[in-house]
Amino acid sequence: MKRSHRLCPVRDAQRGFSLIELMVAVTIGLFVALGLSAIYLNMKQTFSSQQQLAELQDSERLALAVLTTTIESARYFPTPNLLTASTALPAVPTLFVATQGLSGTKGAAGASDTVTSRFVTAPGDTVMDCLGNAQPATATLNRTVVNTFSVAGNSLVCSTTIDGVTLSSSLVGNVTSLKVLYGVDSDSASDDYRSADVYLDAAAVSAMVDGWLSVRTARITLSFQNPFSTAAAPIAWTQTVALMNQLGPKVK
């Protein structure tokens, strides 16, 4: 006699997730997703901040490099064995007295200052204007270069005048102000050693007798808009530039 075996369904093998288990799983998944999202957003914000800071530092380095190179060249002229300062840098009415290479204006009511540098270049001498141009070696004559820095439209602007032709270009953006103090040798008439013993703004230098001829250094403060918040205070960078051959013992 054969026995028949009746197959009974195994209920546990067909059992699914309960509603509570599904809710717990979804909740855990949401927490994980939120955590990953927070990490991603933090990394993105950190990268963006680092990029903004790097751009600010690049702008600062470029601006101060150009300002330094141009201002320290004030009163420079080639072949001093053949030319005198008054011959190379003659007086220009309302702009320069004879031999003067640096001048500026003080901004009214907190506005930005301007600073102007004048020098003479010879063919192939590699002395550049504020736009980065130098005399080619194929040139035949010396030329007088006048460079003026100012702030316009939140940009540091350089204007170069050569042979009566003026070219202007924006160097860097997000600039809020340009301030310049001039290191003056106040006792230059009685002292055989040239040094900057007092720092004055452009208006005070202009009020002195031969004040611009006694300038030995320029202290530049360039302020940039804070890249992290427009409501935050600007970030200021200051650099002191010594004029070429204007410090040390007087040449007799």
Side-chain angles (χ1 to χ4, degrees):
M1 183 176 183
K2 295 182 180 180
R3 294 182 180 179
S4 62
H5 297 278
R6 187 176 179 183
L7 298 177
C8 298
V10 181
R11 296 183 178 229
D12 289 342
Q14 298 178 358
R15 181 177 178 270
F17 292 105
S18 68
L19 180 59
I20 295 177
E21 289 173 330
L22 286 173
M23 292 178 66
V24 170
V26 169
T27 302
I28 293 174
L30 286 174
F31 275 112
V32 172
L34 288 173
L36 292 175
S37 298
I39 293 173
Y40 169 76
L41 291 174
N42 286 336
M43 292 179 63
K44 184 178 180 180
Q45 185 176 7
T46 299
F47 175 78
S48 177
S49 298
Q50 290 176 339
Q51 186 176 27
Q52 289 174 322
L53 184 59
E55 291 174 354
L56 172 63
Q57 291 172 336
D58 287 343
S59 295
E60 176 268 333
R61 280 192 291 265
L62 172 61
L64 290 181
V66 175
L67 281 162
T68 297
T69 302
T70 306
I71 290 175
E72 70 181 3
S73 299
R75 296 184 76 175
Y76 166 79
F77 61 94
T79 58
N81 57 324
L82 301 177
L83 296 173
T84 63
S86 58
T87 302
L89 299 167
V92 178
T94 73
L95 294 177
F96 300 100
V97 300
T99 76
Q100 181 183 346
L102 195 67
S103 68
T105 62
K106 177 179 172 59
S112 292
D113 300 342
T114 69
V115 58
T116 299
S117 170
R118 178 175 70 150
F119 51 81
V120 179
T121 65
D125 67 2
T126 70
V127 178
M128 294 186 296
D129 60 31
C130 62
L131 297 179
N133 301 315
Q135 275 242 62
T138 54
T140 57
L141 297 174
N142 293 347
R143 66 181 186 183
T144 300
V145 182
V146 179
N147 306 272
T148 299
F149 294 93
S150 60
V151 174
N154 289 333
S155 292
L156 178 66
V157 177
C158 156
S159 298
T160 296
T161 301
I162 302 173
D163 298 329
V165 178
T166 300
L167 299 176
S168 298
S169 178
S170 172
L171 298 179
V172 295
N174 296 323
V175 176
T176 58
S177 75
L178 169 66
K179 294 293 182 182
V180 185
L181 294 176
Y182 300 91
V184 177
D185 189 357
S186 61
D187 57 356
S188 61
S190 59
D191 192 354
D192 290 335
Y193 193 88
R194 297 173 297 180
S195 62
D197 50 49
V198 62
Y199 279 86
L200 305 172
D201 60 33
V205 175
S206 296
M208 297 176 60
V209 177
D210 293 334
W212 288 108
L213 299 183
S214 300
V215 172
R216 307 296 179 223
T217 62
R219 183 174 294 163
I220 308 160
T221 300
L222 198 60
S223 297
F224 291 85
Q225 181 179 329
N226 192 309
F228 306 116
S229 173
T230 56
I235 298 175
W237 304 80
T238 300
Q239 184 156 311
T240 300
V241 180
L243 273 63
M244 189 182 301
N245 299 325
Q246 294 302 309
L247 292 174
K250 292 182 178 178
V251 178
K252 297 183 179 180

